[in-house]
Amino acid sequence: MKKLKIVFSTGAGVSAESGVKTFRDADGLWENYPVMQVASAEGFAADPALVHEFYNARRRQLLEVEPNEAHRLIAELAEDPRFDVKVITQNVDDLHERAGSKDVLHLHGELMKIRSVKDEDYIEDLSVDDIETTPERRGRNGHPMRPHIVFFNEAVPNITVAMQLAAEADVFVVIGTSLAVYPAAGLIRCVRRDTKIYYIDPNPANVGMVENLTIIREKATVGMKKLMDILDAKSQ
Ligand code: OAD
């Protein structure tokens, strides 16, 4: 039997119930930090120490949180022989992986990695006992290193693969994103006309005209349980 291809596209909301702040909700990260200072290429050039410290704080927080039921249910679906599951995420946390998901494509980088400022393809993993970085940090190859984060005003190298995955999806599930940041927000328009789209979010953005869209106006954990029931019924 042909497997149903399910592609998830997740944003900060999928990690909210783990205790990770979203960006644009009330009291979100971008309300408390000057976004262009801590998360743009220009901000990094102007004050790299500030940017390193911002991501050090994000890593410290990441070590204190755990994947939630939504991350776990996504990983569980991938174990089901009826489904072929891929995850595209805008998140820089590693909660999908820690929940057991193996096929995760990070669009905006990864907190637990650093990369060379001279060569974007030279990437090193950080370990949990070595999460603090500074502008003085050097990689094993001697290069100065920076957070492995796609800053505002930088290209999103993984978007081409993500668009391909979206185009192959039979079911496309968007979870917890305000769809405010492109090109990630455009993935919902890369799917085939017959692809079923679900958008799980307690406060979904207005997506305009999109065919075959079902909005599940719930938090990620509750919405994922509802989605599992729908998928079960679909694949009987
Ligand atoms: P946002 O903060 O823009 O949006 C978070 C979304 O999650 C909103 O639509 C909320 O309604 C929803 N939400 C809140 N709690 C939820 C819950 N428990 N379950 C499900 N949804 C919930 O975050 P993103 O759309 O992910 O980029 O932001 C996109 C990008 O903007 C981020 O990757 C980041 C940021 O600038 C970089 O840092 C490069």
Side-chain angles (χ1 to χ4, degrees):
M1 204 183 72
K2 198 172 155 285
K3 291 188 178 201
L4 195 72
K5 286 193 179 185
I6 307 174
V7 176
F8 287 90
S9 176
T10 67
V14 77
S15 297
E17 289 163 90
S18 292
V20 181
K21 276 191 179 173
T22 62
F23 297 94
R24 296 176 184 78
D25 288 308
D27 198 36
L29 272 181
W30 294 156
E31 216 168 71
N32 296 297
Y33 292 89
V35 48
M36 292 316 272
Q37 279 177 35
V38 298
S40 75
E42 295 80 356
F44 184 66
D47 191 347
L50 177 77
V51 177
H52 275 279
E53 186 39 41
F54 176 74
Y55 288 103
N56 288 340
R58 304 278 73 71
R59 291 188 200 106
R60 278 181 227 127
Q61 196 216 8
L62 182 56
L63 295 190
E64 285 169 12
V65 301
E66 297 292 336
N68 63 51
E69 191 65 8
H71 299 106
R72 280 193 286 275
L73 289 174
I74 294 170
E76 202 176 285
L77 265 187
E79 299 295 317
D80 189 318
R82 293 172 296 173
F83 307 127
D84 171 4
V85 175
K86 305 267 191 285
V87 180
I88 303 166
T89 187
Q90 295 174 76
N91 298 345
V92 295
D93 67 50
D94 58 359
L95 295 177
H96 282 301
E97 287 90 342
R98 277 159 59 189
S101 283
K102 293 182 185 74
D103 242 320
V104 185
L105 182 72
H106 287 268
L107 288 181
H108 293 162
E110 292 176 68
L111 269 181
M112 292 304 287
K113 292 185 176 174
I114 50 176
R115 77 170 195 236
S116 164
V117 299
K118 296 181 181 170
D119 172 6
E120 67 178 279
D121 294 324
Y122 183 81
I123 298 164
E124 289 182 4
D125 289 321
L126 292 173
S127 61
V128 291
D129 49 11
D130 177 28
I131 58 168
E132 308 276 330
T133 66
T134 65
E136 287 71 45
R137 176 137 184 162
R138 294 291 175 272
R140 285 187 287 277
N141 65 354
H143 286 183
M145 302 296 278
R146 55 166 268 184
H148 182 45
I149 300 290
V150 175
F151 293 141
F152 279 101
N153 300 337
E154 289 185 327
V156 177
N158 284 342
I159 195 66
T160 314
V161 182
M163 288 166 72
Q164 186 62 39
L165 289 176
E168 289 166 4
D170 300 313
V171 177
F172 189 74
V173 187
V174 180
I175 308 182
T177 169
S178 61
L179 296 171
V181 174
Y182 282 82
L187 287 174
I188 198 166
R189 295 179 194 282
C190 295
V191 303
R192 295 191 316 261
R193 283 192 76 169
D194 62 333
T195 300
K196 275 297 270 168
I197 306 175
Y198 298 91
Y199 179 16
I200 302 172
D201 196 304
N203 187 19
N206 182 357
V207 284
M209 282 296 287
V210 173
E211 278 182 76
N212 286 321
L213 171 69
T214 303
I215 292 181
I216 302 178
R217 195 179 283 270
E218 297 283 2
K219 289 184 174 181
T221 52
V222 177
M224 267 307 296
K225 287 190 193 114
K226 291 195 172 175
L227 179 77
M228 302 282 273
D229 291 342
I230 294 169
L231 290 173
D232 256 338
K234 244 174 117 65
S235 59
Q236 289 310 317

